[in-house]
Amino acid sequence: MATSNTSRRDILDQPAAFKLVYTPDDHYVNGHNIVRGPDGWHLFYGGHGGAENTQREHATSDDLLTWTTREPFLRSDPGGWDACEMGDSCTIEHEGRWYFVYHGSAEGNGSRCIGTAVSDDLWHWTKVTGADVPPFHPDTTWSAWEPTGQPQCCKDPWIIPHDGAFLMYYPSRTKAGDSAIAVARSDDLICWEDQGPVVTTPWRANDVVGPSGFEVPRVVVHDGKFYLFALNFWRLEYSIGDDPFHIG
């Protein structure tokens, strides 16, 4: 207890507004989710840059200040849809079960898809997506997604409940080459039906910092309106809609 109290005091005494609370020994913290379970807070994250992640890391805390590193809770499957990447994710609880929805890739710098793992306790996870349940990818009638070579067309899922079902927002690219945030609908957080883009913008590139487009969308519902936040070319932008399918 004394050590824990000392650690908390040291963190709160840091002069910066943002406090450094967690530094793993052999990796760092990339795209992450924090959820509150029955036994405390759980941090799920990637320990390396972008497409270098082939497992998902885990840490726990009682107070959101002092964290304990745990064993990785999910690893890629050789030859599977997530063999070469396990990327950004969204963790959501439904009827007592937890769903970890993440993007993955079967080949290096290859096209990404989105799949699901489930848990009853936030410690032990089972992949649902695989041979019997194929991963989600965008409808190719509007999206530039292809089975190979399109890593920017399906990634960074974010999920909200809506009208008794679930909506998943994700970045993609259109056949015309524009950057898009699209949405898919599901009744069970496992099988998804694509609903198409909710907002698009021209794709931009820079010789110094490289190409960019929409990334890591977040949707917040407030006073009956839908606020979509997303990174776009290294800055945070937002748009507002009256319904979850038409924003901006």
Side-chain angles (χ1 to χ4, degrees):
M1 179 64 72
T3 301
S4 180
N5 288 337
T6 299
S7 298
R8 285 196 292 268
R9 185 166 58 250
D10 290 344
I11 291 169
L12 294 173
D13 284 345
Q14 295 174 24
F18 280 93
K19 314 298 185 184
L20 179 62
V21 298
Y22 179 52
T23 52
D25 291 335
D26 58 356
H27 57 269
Y28 58 88
V29 179
N30 205 329
H32 57 281
N33 313 144
I34 298 176
V35 297
R36 174 72 172 177
D39 56 353
W41 297 95
H42 291 254
L43 168 66
F44 303 120
Y45 64 99
H48 303 281
E52 300 173 13
N53 291 289
T54 55
Q55 63 186 27
R56 301 306 290 181
E57 311 291 346
H58 184 200
T60 58
S61 174
D62 292 326
D63 57 11
L64 292 171
L65 293 176
T66 55
W67 292 87
T68 301
T69 303
R70 305 298 184 177
E71 289 295 312
F73 70 97
L74 208 61
R75 290 181 168 88
S76 64
D77 291 324
W81 73 274
D82 61 359
C84 290
E85 180 190 6
M86 301 182 73
D88 283 359
S89 60
C90 182
T91 307
I92 186 169
E93 183 272 338
H94 176 57
E95 295 182 346
R97 172 162 282 193
W98 292 90
Y99 295 78
F100 183 79
V101 182
Y102 65 101
H103 78 242
S105 177
E107 59 183 22
N109 201 36
S111 294
R112 289 162 167 153
C113 298
I114 293 173
T116 304
V118 298
S119 174
D120 294 324
D121 60 8
L122 291 169
W123 293 88
H124 307 93
W125 293 83
T126 301
K127 292 182 184 180
V128 178
T129 304
D132 296 330
V133 180
F136 167 85
H137 66 74
D139 188 334
T140 55
T141 60
W142 69 267
S143 172
W145 189 92
E146 296 177 353
T148 61
Q150 291 290 347
Q152 301 301 321
C153 285
C154 186
K155 61 177 188 173
D156 305 344
W158 180 254
I159 299 168
I160 64 170
H162 179 70
D163 282 353
F166 300 92
L167 299 179
M168 176 176 70
Y169 294 86
Y170 66 94
S172 188
R173 294 190 73 178
T174 69
K175 286 185 174 295
D178 291 338
S179 180
I181 299 293
V183 65
R185 182 188 179 280
S186 176
D187 291 321
D188 60 8
L189 291 162
I190 296 171
C191 298
W192 298 89
E193 182 179 356
D194 195 16
Q195 306 294 306
V198 298
V199 63
T200 63
T201 192
W203 183 269
R204 291 177 289 176
N206 182 285
D207 291 338
V208 176
V209 299
S212 186
F214 287 128
E215 293 186 295
V216 290
R218 300 290 185 264
V219 174
V220 178
V221 183
H222 177 62
D223 287 343
K225 294 187 179 295
F226 294 80
Y227 292 76
L228 168 62
F229 297 82
L231 292 179
N232 183 24
F233 209 63
W234 317 109
R235 65 187 182 190
L236 182 65
E237 300 180 346
Y238 83 98
S239 189
I240 305 173
D242 292 324
D243 70 73
F245 303 101
H246 305 89
I247 300 178

